[in-house]
Amino acid sequence: DGGITQSPKYLFRKEGQNVTLSCEQNLNHDAMYWYRQDPGQGLRLIYYSQIVNDFQKGDIAEGYSVSREKKESFPLTVTSAQKNPTAFYLCASMKVRFTGELFFGEGSRLTVL
Amino acid sequence: GEDVEQSLFLSVREGDSSVINCTYTDSSSTYLYWYKQEPGAGLQLLTYIFSNMDMKQDQRLTVLLNKKDKHLSLRIADTQTGDSAIYFCAENGSSNTGKLIFGQGTTLQVKP
């Protein structure tokens, strides 16, 4: 079945370490997004990419990096520069020029020890 | 700037109707959305409404849009315990990049 796969589901990191979250989609969607979710704050956009080899910063890009070398893949690296990285991270994709419906993965929960 | 506001919590009895409200600021939004998130999972699109519509009904779900007041609501008829979740309102703003603006989410608690 088509969908978005995020891994790992749970991740623990020591302070000062970089960590990469994986996001893969087989929906043939053009656009992909990374959101961060904190309790009571809704979803905040970190980075997005509308086409391969191109991406833009969202509202809270500091301390994060991404790449889009393949249409199917949009990994997110949480660097040691991110001051408060403990959160639930959600990857999403969208078939551009449709109704704007986002398809979400199941999320990755990152905890910094 | 763009902003979407929701109340944080709603509790109803099983079988009652639930109404979740949302206000938004960007009048140029062409679509408004309701997403559902179950514990520990991603979001799923429940329904959406085009900005030139006042109402949309889909089985137990009714969406009402008051564009003048920038107010969106989601009514769930005959609420079930399986409807317990967080409900997010979102708008697509003035861009066509897919950058949805989400509210804080309303936690719906359904008591048996």
Side-chain angles (χ1 to χ4, degrees), chain B residues 1 5 8-9 14 21-22 26-27 29 32 35 45 47 49 63-64 67 71-72 81 92 96 104-105:
Chain B
E5 296 283 337
L8 293 182
F9 188 77
E14 191 173 20
N21 295 301
C22 169
D26 193 337
S27 58
S29 292
L32 296 118
Y35 282 83
L45 180 69
T47 187
I49 188 167
V63 178
L64 295 178
K67 201 171 179 183
H71 183 265
L72 183 74
T81 54
N92 67 341
N96 63 353
Q104 310 95 309

Side-chain angles (χ1 to χ4, degrees), chain A residues 7-100:
Chain A
S7 63
K9 179 74 173 173
Y10 300 97
L11 187 60
F12 297 89
R13 182 193 103 174
K14 292 182 180 179
E15 281 193 23
Q17 289 181 334
N18 292 355
V19 62
T20 297
L21 307 180
S22 169
C23 178
E24 303 278 332
Q25 55 103 353
N26 60 3
L27 298 166
N28 197 33
H29 285 175
D30 298 303
M32 296 186 74
Y33 306 82
W34 274 104
Y35 285 91
R36 171 180 170 140
Q37 184 177 18
D38 296 285
Q41 292 194 41
L43 276 68
R44 292 182 289 169
L45 183 64
I46 305 172
Y47 268 98
Y48 66 101
S49 167
Q50 290 187 279
I51 56 172
V52 175
N53 292 324
D54 188 44
F55 49 82
Q56 285 78 38
K57 293 181 180 180
D59 301 316
I60 55 164
E62 185 176 351
Y64 300 97
S65 66
V66 293
S67 62
R68 187 87 186 275
E69 297 176 2
K70 300 186 299 181
K71 188 175 184 178
E72 302 80 14
S73 179
F74 192 41
L76 173 74
T77 297
V78 184
T79 75
S80 56
Q82 169 50 236
K83 299 302 179 194
N84 185 20
T86 294
F88 191 52
Y89 291 89
L90 287 160
C91 180
S93 70
M94 180 190 296
K95 188 73 172 175
V96 183
R97 298 190 187 91
F98 265 90
T99 58

